[in-house]
Amino acid sequence: MTFSWPLALLGLLLVPLALVAYVLFERRREGEVARFGNPALFPNVVGSAPGWRRHVPVALLLLALTAMLVGVARPHASRSVPREEATVVLAMDVSFSMVAKDVSPTRLASAEAAVRRFVERVPPSFRLGLVAFGTRAVVAAPATDDREVVRSALSALRPGQGTALGDAIGLSLEVAGRAPGTRPAAPGTSSSGATGAPPAAVLLLSDGAQTQGRLRPEQAARRARRLGIPVYTVALGTPDGIVERPLANGFRERIRVPPDPETLRKVAEVTGGEFFAAPAAGRLSRVYEQLGSRLGHRRERQEITVAFAGASGLLLLAGGALSSLWFRRLP
């Protein structure tokens, strides 16, 4: 919580002073009563002593004073609010290793299904783009709010050969930068912090290290950091992943294709994104749901003076009502 006028909080010193004054007043009152009467005879005159109840209205009054003084300082609190605009570029690995069946039915098919679920869950105002990368990276769909364009591009994905990971990140940054209204953030900051600019992010799914391309993943990650666009990475597959390749004379070659999460982890760390290991289709779906929720909200500072003023008024009413009910007088 922050305050527009923090000096007003010095007024809170009045609360303990008022409490001390009340305690001194009670002691003085009890002393004066003892001087003009015999306390031992009081039970014969009064049906029951008020006991702790006589302090409740005063306690509520002090709480009301505290809330009132905090309200004078104009407090602000951060809360999560739905985000109206954002650009998300999905970078999909379609290399040959993505046909491995260690993630049922295949790595590529399960990733595609999870992306489709993600497309359905993000707010309609979000712009989504799709970059597919194998031996080279290509724009399968520009950043658009037309979901049918993205769905059609997903349906057209076909497995290729190599893995141009760095080129895919670089091309995804270009797609995000070409989205209407998107502006780069200051160096080292997230694009979501740019004033008035819709945020942008890249969600990259891959199962291996780079084997093709001109741009190294480290170079692409540094470029993303300069632009303030975080790259969230998802490592697909298990260490037992195997693909088969046909050879001459009807033979088939079995190739082990374990994922290489370290490169993806470093990309996420450098860019300010987050790394996820998603070896199973169900878990991959939950990752996308989580990311959609994070990108769909932002933190906003809001003044809550009215809340403290209302609480102060309610406490005053409660104290007055109890005092009137119990003692037929106001505190």
Side-chain angles (χ1 to χ4, degrees):
M1 185 181 297
T2 58
F3 300 90
S4 297
W5 190 24
L7 287 177
L9 295 176
L10 292 175
L12 291 174
L13 296 174
L14 295 175
V15 177
L17 292 177
L19 179 60
V20 171
Y22 173 71
V23 172
L24 293 177
F25 172 78
E26 283 293 302
R27 290 182 178 178
R28 180 180 178 184
R29 185 175 65 83
E30 292 175 358
E32 290 180 350
V33 169
R35 282 193 302 169
F36 293 98
N38 186 356
L41 299 177
F42 287 169
N44 299 323
V45 180
V46 181
S48 62
W52 59 268
R53 290 191 302 174
R54 73 173 186 270
H55 303 301
V56 173
V58 176
L60 293 176
L61 178 63
L62 292 176
L63 289 174
L65 177 61
T66 301
M68 186 183 302
L69 292 172
V70 173
V72 170
R74 298 183 60 188
H76 290 74
S78 295
R79 66 188 186 99
S80 179
V81 298
R83 194 186 295 281
E84 297 179 356
E85 290 185 88
T87 298
V88 182
V89 180
L90 303 163
M92 292 276 295
D93 186 348
V94 294
S95 60
F96 183 65
S97 59
M98 290 291 287
V99 301
K101 297 181 179 180
D102 53 336
V103 179
S104 179
T106 66
R107 296 178 181 180
L108 182 59
S110 62
E112 181 182 331
V115 170
R116 289 184 181 278
R117 189 173 293 108
F118 175 73
V119 169
E120 298 298 331
R121 294 182 68 89
V122 296
S125 58
F126 275 34
R127 295 184 180 91
L128 297 180
L130 179 63
V131 170
F133 63 99
T135 303
R136 61 190 183 93
V138 296
V139 178
T144 176
D145 56 6
D146 188 345
R147 298 295 187 259
E148 193 57 39
V149 172
V150 180
R151 295 189 191 99
S152 298
L154 284 170
S155 299
L157 293 180
R158 296 293 182 270
Q161 291 299 321
T163 307
L165 185 62
D167 290 355
I169 298 173
L171 186 57
S172 298
L173 298 178
E174 293 181 16
V175 173
R178 288 197 294 263
T182 302
R183 296 191 296 271
T189 65
S190 171
S191 61
S192 60
T195 303
V202 175
L203 304 183
L204 184 145
L205 296 92
S206 181
D207 64 356
Q210 172 150 317
T211 61
Q212 303 283 339
R214 296 171 298 177
L215 188 65
R216 302 296 303 169
E218 297 81 4
Q219 295 173 307
R222 289 193 293 269
R223 181 182 300 178
R225 182 176 60 184
R226 288 195 300 270
L227 293 175
I229 298 178
V231 179
Y232 296 86
T233 59
V234 179
L236 299 166
T238 68
D240 299 325
I242 294 176
V243 294
E244 294 186 352
R245 177 178 298 172
L247 299 175
N249 302 321
F251 292 101
R252 303 184 68 86
E253 180 185 14
R254 293 170 59 87
I255 306 172
R256 294 182 60 85
V257 285
D260 179 15
E262 287 309 312
T263 299
L264 301 177
R265 189 190 306 273
K266 290 178 181 177
V267 168
E269 290 176 356
V270 170
T271 62
E274 193 166 350
F275 167 80
F276 297 92
R283 186 174 175 186
L284 179 59
S285 300
R286 290 194 295 271
V287 167
Y288 269 94
E289 292 174 3
Q290 183 179 0
L291 290 179
S293 175
R294 291 183 184 182
L295 291 171
H297 293 79
R298 59 187 172 87
R299 303 297 299 179
E300 183 181 81
R301 290 181 67 251
Q302 186 177 39
E303 185 171 344
I304 54 175
T305 301
V306 174
F308 280 90
S312 176
L314 290 175
L315 289 169
L316 284 174
L317 288 175
L322 290 177
S323 180
S324 177
L325 178 65
W326 287 341
F327 312 119
R328 301 295 188 270
R329 61 181 176 82
L330 295 177

